[in-house]
Amino acid sequence: MARIRAVDRRLFLLIEIAARRLNREADKRLKADAGVSAAQAGVLFLLLRRGQRRMGSLSKTLSLNPPAVTGLVDRMVKAGLVTKTTDQTDGRGAMVALTAEGSEAAERADIVLRDLNAGLEARLGDEVSDILHDAFTRIVIAES
Amino acid sequence: MARIRAVDRRLFLLIEIAARRLNREADKRLKADAGVSAAQAGVLFLLLRRGQRRMGSLSKTLSLNPPAVTGLVDRMVKAGLVTKTTDQTDGRGAMVALTAEGSEAAERADIVLRDLNAGLEARLGDEVSDILHDAFTRIVIAES
DNA sequence: GCCGATTCGTTCGTTTCCGAAAGAAACCGG
DNA sequence: CCGGTTTCTTTCGGAAACGAACGAATCGGC
């Protein structure tokens, strides 16, 4: 408690530290139960919910720079989770789609995420969870 | 009434994305105005507020794994922001302290952080800021 | 049809972070 | 005082993210 007093007036630092903790927790569980990292789970989740997507779309939705997406997707291709092909309608674009193996991993990851989410919201309480959700949605959406 | 809890709510992913955006924003401003990265600013802020600290203390407070602290501090030593010496009272410990240059950078970083913080809290509103602050403090403190 | 401008993704170099394991120093029971 | 344990830090290998710069493909004005 006294340990974090030095940063407790800096929401920026606080969020950074909390996000690190949550990500570490999620990464561990996801690797154990679904065999994928937290970053990969984000991609799988998107592809599962919305179908195949182009690199640029992933970049925007996940708020990742293009080089980060390239590296992330390449590792997932190597792991057999997704395929990357040239977009038929635009030769510049690269389309990312789930493989059968990727779909299974995405389902497992979805369950883990749901569970983690329930735990987090239980810790925070429903009301706070709603406020948090709204606040972060606003931050994320806030014009890119 | 509270809005319907969407099935695809994933606070974990949302926080991750939001934290990435905030960190990117902070990093950019800090590099421009104070000449340090966001991660380095966290260390500077701590040392400025609470004086010299050992590696393990930084690790705990910032919730960073030991190897991350080693790399981070080493780069800061190279940049002339801090010094790293053996703890007098415990030969195992390495003590990290601000240099004169580091103190100046810390002051500048503090101003930038204060400004960023004010902007973020203005975007969120006082009430939400307080709730967010409490929530994240709880997350950070939880199971240290 | 042609060429410059734009869009899209990748490559490059660096920073930041992780887990696992090794190394060094202090502590402690006998 | 001494061997084993504990504590603290570093080394190692890899994943993930950034900005800057580059090349390939498309689009738009002429």
Side-chain angles (χ1 to χ4, degrees):
Chain A
M1 154 96 75
R3 191 150 40 65
I4 66 133
R5 186 165 302 151
V7 294
D8 68 359
R9 291 293 180 119
R10 293 292 176 271
L11 213 40
F12 263 83
L13 298 179
L14 205 52
I15 289 175
E16 198 173 327
I17 293 172
R20 205 143 53 203
R21 265 180 188 279
L22 293 175
N23 185 66
R24 197 154 38 194
E25 179 186 347
D27 199 63
K28 193 184 242 177
R29 291 271 311 263
L30 283 164
K31 277 177 179 164
D33 296 358
V36 300
S37 70
Q40 292 176 350
V43 176
L44 292 178
F45 185 82
L46 259 182
L47 295 176
L48 184 66
R49 292 296 167 111
R50 303 198 195 165
Q52 59 176 11
R53 278 275 173 283
R54 284 177 48 171
M55 300 291 282
S57 173
L58 295 175
S59 172
K60 272 203 189 103
T61 307
L62 298 174
S63 194
L64 284 173
N65 277 8
V69 179
T70 296
L72 184 54
V73 169
D74 280 357
R75 283 186 294 272
M76 294 178 74
V77 168
K78 197 174 292 179
L81 298 170
V82 298
T83 56
K84 189 162 74 167
T85 54
T86 305
D87 185 347
Q88 301 300 335
T89 68
D90 187 340
R92 295 170 301 180
M95 189 65 81
V96 183
L98 287 174
T99 61
E101 190 184 341
S103 292
E104 288 174 26
E107 300 281 5
R108 287 196 301 273
D110 197 22
I111 293 171
V112 175
L113 280 175
R114 198 172 316 178
D115 191 42
L116 286 168
N117 225 56
L120 177 60
E121 297 197 352
R123 258 188 283 168
L124 295 172
D126 280 355
E127 196 182 339
V128 173
S129 293
D130 283 346
I131 292 172
L132 228 73
H133 189 269
D134 286 346
F136 280 98
T137 299
R138 228 180 314 155
I139 291 175
V140 167
I141 290 178
E143 116 301 340
S144 45
Chain B
M1 76 137 224
R3 86 199 131 55
I4 297 163
R5 304 176 86 74
V7 173
D8 64 352
R9 264 177 78 144
R10 289 296 177 267
L11 214 40
F12 263 84
L13 297 179
L14 207 50
I15 289 174
E16 199 171 328
I17 293 172
R20 206 145 50 205
R21 280 178 106 82
L22 294 176
N23 186 65
R24 194 155 42 200
E25 180 187 344
D27 198 62
K28 195 184 238 175
R29 291 270 312 265
L30 283 165
K31 277 177 179 163
D33 296 358
V36 300
S37 71
Q40 293 176 349
V43 176
L44 291 179
F45 186 82
L46 260 182
L47 295 177
L48 183 66
R49 292 298 167 106
R50 306 175 61 186
Q52 58 177 11
R53 277 276 171 281
R54 285 176 47 170
M55 301 290 280
S57 173
L58 294 175
S59 173
K60 274 204 186 102
T61 307
L62 298 174
S63 196
L64 285 173
N65 276 9
V69 178
T70 296
L72 185 53
V73 168
D74 280 357
R75 284 186 294 273
M76 294 177 75
V77 168
K78 197 176 291 179
L81 298 171
V82 298
T83 56
K84 189 162 74 166
T85 54
T86 304
D87 186 346
Q88 301 302 336
T89 68
D90 186 340
R92 296 170 301 179
M95 187 67 78
V96 182
L98 286 175
T99 61
E101 190 184 341
S103 291
E104 288 174 24
E107 299 282 4
R108 288 195 301 273
D110 198 23
I111 293 172
V112 174
L113 279 175
R114 200 172 314 178
D115 191 44
L116 286 168
N117 225 55
L120 177 60
E121 297 196 352
R123 257 189 283 169
L124 295 172
D126 282 353
E127 195 183 343
V128 173
S129 294
D130 284 348
I131 293 174
L132 229 71
H133 185 276
D134 288 346
F136 280 100
T137 299
R138 227 179 316 158
I139 291 174
V140 168
I141 291 173
E143 143 269 337
S144 44

